[in-house]
Amino acid sequence: METVVSGIRPTGNLHLGNYFGAVKNFLKMQNDAHCFFFIADYHSLTTHPTPADLHKSGRQVLAEYLACGIDPDKSVIYMQSDLPQTAELYLLLNMNAYVGELERVTSFKDKIRKQPNPINAGLLTYPVLMAADILIHHAAKVPVGKDQEQHLEMTRTFGNRFNRLYKTDYFPEPVAYNFGEALVKIPGLDGSGKMGKSEGEGNAVFLIDTDEVIKKKVMRAVTDSGPTLPNSEKPDSIKNLFTLMGVVSAPETISFFEEKYNDCTIRYGDMKKQLAEDMIKFISPIREKN
Ligand code: TYM
């Protein structure tokens, strides 16, 4: 059986981006692979949570893993810091990770733009710790969203470098995985960029959001005054609404609104109402189990 590894940082509740980028694939993979799904508590320390917040969020992610359907009889669920060998491998891999290549990582550049001085070294070596998480299990597949693709490239670089240096084939090459399809990027509701925990109020829809909250967030999503020419190119904010429909709504619903967009009769209020309804249908059973 193939080995599968993935983790989520305990930095708050899970949102639809986490679900469709990662957890959905965890569920599909747990039946026929040897799965390790962990809670990346070490990784979340780069932003210095209080101990109380860290413990609370760790338990919350665990509850959400279970509520989504990760089955502890099929998958190993663990806290990253409970496997101290990860930290040991991280130290060893750091000896052959270059500062220059770490400084060029997109997620590092983004983070230092948002969080200027002082930059902690944990942020710089974040991809090395992630490589240790994956390589420690000799994993073949890593189900993650699009934003983690470059980190997987680095993981392969570090594993291969180790193999070359010590003339071994000890570490296999893991791949970021989504069942033969492109990796997913779920957009947020604020018209730009991805859904994220720290992207601002209203951008993310969480798996614990009540029906009312979901409705409110979706109805406030950014739109524009609507297309004026048939079959025109969609602006980003509208593309995002369609992408979100793509994951929670039925194909007929999506083609209905596509047609309305293309012949310029679309009413975004109706579209958002439908989107909120479909999100509620998807989220409420998970919330109930949480
Ligand atoms: P984290 O906690 O930011 O996100 C957890 C998972 O959710 C995915 N994700 C998304 N996918 C699609 N669209 C979005 N808007 C979206 N937002 C989040 C992420 O791609 C990820 O799969 N570094 C990792 C945690 C980690 C890890 C690992 C993952 C640490 N070690 C080893 C895999 C293997 C992170 O910060 O994920």
Side-chain angles (χ1 to χ4, degrees):
M1 269 212 280
E2 265 180 331
T3 298
V4 167
V5 175
S6 196
I8 295 185
R9 279 173 306 150
T11 45
N13 291 108
L14 301 193
H15 52 66
L16 287 176
N18 299 130
Y19 187 90
F20 289 103
V23 178
K24 185 176 177 206
N25 284 341
F26 297 1
L27 301 179
K28 283 205 217 167
M29 293 168 110
Q30 67 178 350
N31 293 315
D32 34 39
H34 195 202
C35 290
F36 295 90
F37 300 126
F38 65 94
I39 299 162
D41 57 344
Y42 279 150
H43 274 104
S44 69
L45 296 180
T46 56
T47 52
H48 309 133
T50 64
D53 281 348
L54 182 62
H55 290 131
K56 183 166 159 242
S57 301
R59 281 195 298 273
Q60 189 58 37
V61 173
L62 174 62
E64 290 185 330
Y65 272 178
L66 299 175
C68 289
I70 298 178
D71 180 349
D73 287 331
K74 295 179 182 165
S75 306
V76 179
I77 303 175
Y78 69 98
M79 192 61 79
Q80 185 184 30
S81 59
D82 281 339
L83 187 65
Q85 290 84 349
T86 303
E88 193 174 350
L89 180 57
Y90 165 63
L91 180 145
L92 297 172
L93 293 174
N94 264 325
M95 303 305 161
N96 295 307
Y98 310 137
V99 172
E101 66 190 340
L102 294 171
E103 280 173 340
R104 285 193 297 276
V105 175
T106 312
S107 61
F108 176 70
K109 289 197 283 193
D110 279 354
K111 285 202 176 119
I112 61 173
R113 224 184 356 253
K114 286 188 197 148
Q115 179 190 318
N117 289 318
I119 313 287
N120 65 68
L123 272 181
L124 182 68
T125 57
Y126 188 105
V128 188
L129 180 55
M130 205 168 139
D133 291 324
I134 296 166
L135 295 174
I136 195 90
H137 296 293
H138 297 252
K141 288 179 180 154
V142 184
V144 283
K146 176 93 183 138
D147 59 321
Q148 301 296 319
E149 197 169 31
Q150 194 183 21
H151 292 156
L152 261 293
E153 253 171 63
M154 308 280 300
T155 300
R156 288 190 290 276
T157 300
F158 299 140
N160 286 335
R161 192 174 290 158
F162 180 99
N163 287 349
R164 242 188 347 268
L165 221 62
Y166 300 105
K167 301 189 177 37
T168 170
D169 55 4
Y170 188 64
F171 291 126
E173 276 200 338
V175 291
Y177 189 72
N178 181 25
F179 289 88
E181 290 181 35
L183 299 183
V184 174
K185 176 181 156 188
I186 302 296
L189 289 170
D190 58 3
S192 65
K194 66 163 190 164
M195 187 172 286
K197 292 170 198 160
S198 53
E199 309 299 325
E201 188 50 30
N203 166 61
V205 177
F206 294 95
L207 303 182
I208 52 134
D209 281 348
T210 61
D211 295 356
E212 274 319 301
V213 169
I214 297 171
K215 248 182 249 161
K216 218 179 259 169
K217 285 182 180 173
V218 175
M219 294 317 284
R220 280 199 198 130
V222 176
T223 51
D224 60 10
S225 52
T228 48
L229 291 173
N231 303 312
S232 45
E233 167 89 14
K234 297 186 188 84
D236 283 347
S237 59
I238 305 304
K239 258 192 224 153
N240 291 353
L241 285 186
F242 276 96
T243 305
L244 289 166
M245 268 203 154
V247 292
V248 291
S249 303
E252 311 82 74
T253 308
I254 302 161
S255 35
F256 173 82
F257 286 103
E258 285 279 0
E259 269 169 40
K260 295 252 170 212
Y261 182 87
N262 285 333
D263 66 17
C264 306
T265 56
I266 192 158
R267 286 166 34 169
Y268 290 133
D270 293 348
M271 183 180 180
K272 290 199 233 179
K273 214 163 135 216
Q274 181 68 47
L275 177 61
E277 235 170 70
D278 293 337
M279 277 187 184
I280 290 169
K281 227 182 279 164
F282 175 78
I283 287 176
S284 54
I286 298 176
R287 186 184 61 222
E288 246 79 293
K289 283 197 219 129
N290 200 330

